[in-house]
Amino acid sequence: MSEKIHEVVIVGSGPAGYTAGIYAARAQLEPILYEGSVTAGGALMNTTEVENFPGFTDGVMGPDLMDSMRKQAKRFGTTLVTDDIVEMSLDGEIKVLVDGSGNTLKAKSVILATGSAYKEIGLENEKRLSGRGVSWCATCDGFFFREQVIAVVGGGDSAMEEATFLTKFASKVVVIHRRDTLRASKIMAERAQANPKIEFLWNTDVIDVLGADKVTGLKLRNTVDGTESERDFTGLFVAIGHLPRNELIKGQIELDAEGYVKVEGRSTRTNLKGVFACGDLVDHTYRQAITAAGSGCQAALDAQNFLMGH
């Protein structure tokens, strides 16, 4: 264990973590940022063009945006560690963290920016056929479905983005949604509905994924009359939302009923002194790159004010 006590350790990257790093480094706090061994850059690493991040008139690719934020954090003095934090003890005055390489760190404050993970439908065969036709990331796996008929489950912006992207490869994309209207923003919905390669299957639930070694079809149930049917597909992309990555903090940090971290008012302060949370870990309302970046800024400023008072 290093005897050095760091001013702040940031757990997680993405827009929230990297922005927290930029602000904490500019405040001379010498932040250590654990960006993740696999998930460095967060969810935007799996997106294509981001059209609504301010300052990019013609849009910017998600990975490029994260690379720019990462370099900016590093430029101001953030120490970036491409590893995971696997254990945290946050209730004491000095926080103790252990990383995936077995290193132990001490810190006066911690900023949690662990983000969220893809939500699963919850079917046994969905898990079994993961990587064999079932995916949660169109930009990762769309290439493998050239000239095939594939399904996208969901009705939000993520589902519309996935479906639209997949039309570059698939012969047809069928969007399966359990309601008769989309939750997606108007511009994303209209773009998908205008695409001749996209078909919509309304008021429908996926109740099973069919196939022995790979996906061959889906078993469906109509949510209005309860009738069941089967339809052939070679791929299933699940885009039904996200779950906060709270595994390391359960039992330490106060969470709401959905598992998101509770914070005080408009701040990023948690129920533990010196622990701050930002990004998708606290936000189940807006879930945008710009709001995540903004909360990362808040977390760094809250941490700075906390450290000045101690």
Side-chain angles (χ1 to χ4, degrees):
M1 180 187 293
S2 170
E3 289 306 309
K4 180 175 180 179
I5 300 176
H6 301 281
E7 294 294 309
V8 60
V9 173
I10 302 166
V11 183
S13 47
Y18 288 142
T19 303
I22 291 167
Y23 274 79
R26 283 176 56 83
Q28 305 296 307
L29 297 179
E30 299 180 346
I32 311 292
L33 190 156
Y34 274 80
E35 55 183 352
S37 58
V38 176
T39 57
L44 281 184
M45 297 299 288
N46 296 324
T47 62
T48 50
E49 193 171 28
V50 179
E51 296 179 316
N52 54 6
F53 200 91
F56 295 91
T57 307
D58 299 316
V60 58
M61 299 300 284
D64 293 338
L65 179 60
M66 289 304 91
D67 186 55
S68 294
M69 285 192 180
R70 184 182 191 275
K71 288 176 178 175
Q72 192 174 3
K74 188 174 182 180
R75 174 195 165 201
F76 289 117
T78 302
T79 299
L80 299 166
V81 184
T82 307
D83 200 349
D84 299 300
I85 293 295
V86 298
E87 188 178 331
M88 289 188 279
S89 178
L90 302 173
D91 57 347
E93 186 174 340
I94 301 300
K95 322 301 177 186
V96 180
L97 303 90
V98 180
D99 68 19
S101 301
N103 301 307
T104 300
L105 299 89
K106 294 179 178 179
K108 297 176 185 176
S109 66
V110 171
I111 293 175
L112 302 170
T114 49
S116 58
Y118 299 114
K119 187 183 291 185
E120 299 177 6
I121 300 172
L123 303 171
E124 182 180 341
N125 286 328
E126 172 193 16
K127 180 71 78 175
R128 182 177 64 82
L129 292 170
S130 173
R132 298 178 181 182
V134 177
S135 174
W136 292 265
C137 177
T139 53
C140 308
D141 300 323
F143 175 82
F144 300 109
F145 294 87
R146 288 187 178 277
E147 297 305 315
Q148 298 180 38
V149 179
I150 54 181
V152 173
V153 177
D157 278 354
S158 294
M160 297 308 102
E161 183 180 8
E162 299 266 284
T164 302
F165 177 80
L166 287 167
T167 59
K168 296 180 180 181
F169 308 102
S171 59
K172 176 181 275 190
V173 177
V174 179
V175 173
I176 302 172
H177 187 41
R178 63 194 321 271
R179 298 181 179 86
D180 60 1
T181 56
L182 297 170
R183 292 180 291 105
S185 59
K186 187 175 180 180
I187 188 170
M188 295 293 285
E190 288 178 348
R191 186 177 297 169
Q193 289 171 323
N195 193 311
K197 278 191 171 184
I198 298 178
E199 173 190 337
F200 286 84
L201 201 56
W202 304 105
N203 297 317
T204 303
D205 270 335
V206 176
I207 58 174
D208 200 4
V209 185
L210 308 175
D213 300 318
K214 61 180 181 179
V215 173
T216 59
L218 299 174
K219 189 172 184 180
L220 308 170
R221 179 189 292 137
N222 186 288
T223 59
V224 177
D225 59 25
T227 56
E228 296 182 3
S229 60
E230 293 183 3
R231 182 162 172 176
D232 292 341
F233 293 101
T234 53
L236 169 64
F237 286 80
V238 181
I240 57 173
H242 298 79
L243 294 171
R245 293 184 182 273
N246 60 18
E247 298 86 357
L248 294 176
I249 56 175
K250 280 183 177 177
Q252 299 189 74
I253 301 291
E254 192 173 343
L255 309 175
D256 68 15
E258 297 177 63
Y260 291 85
V261 172
K262 286 186 175 182
V263 291
E264 296 179 13
R266 296 187 64 187
S267 78
T268 63
R269 294 188 297 271
T270 70
N271 61 302
L272 295 182
K273 288 185 178 180
V275 181
F276 308 89
C278 56
D280 284 359
L281 186 60
V282 302
D283 178 16
H284 45 82
T285 304
Y286 302 107
R287 303 188 47 76
Q288 301 295 309
I290 186 64
T291 52
S295 70
C297 162
Q298 289 177 271
L301 294 175
D302 285 344
Q304 180 184 355
N305 290 333
F306 168 78
L307 293 165
M308 287 174 62
H310 289 71

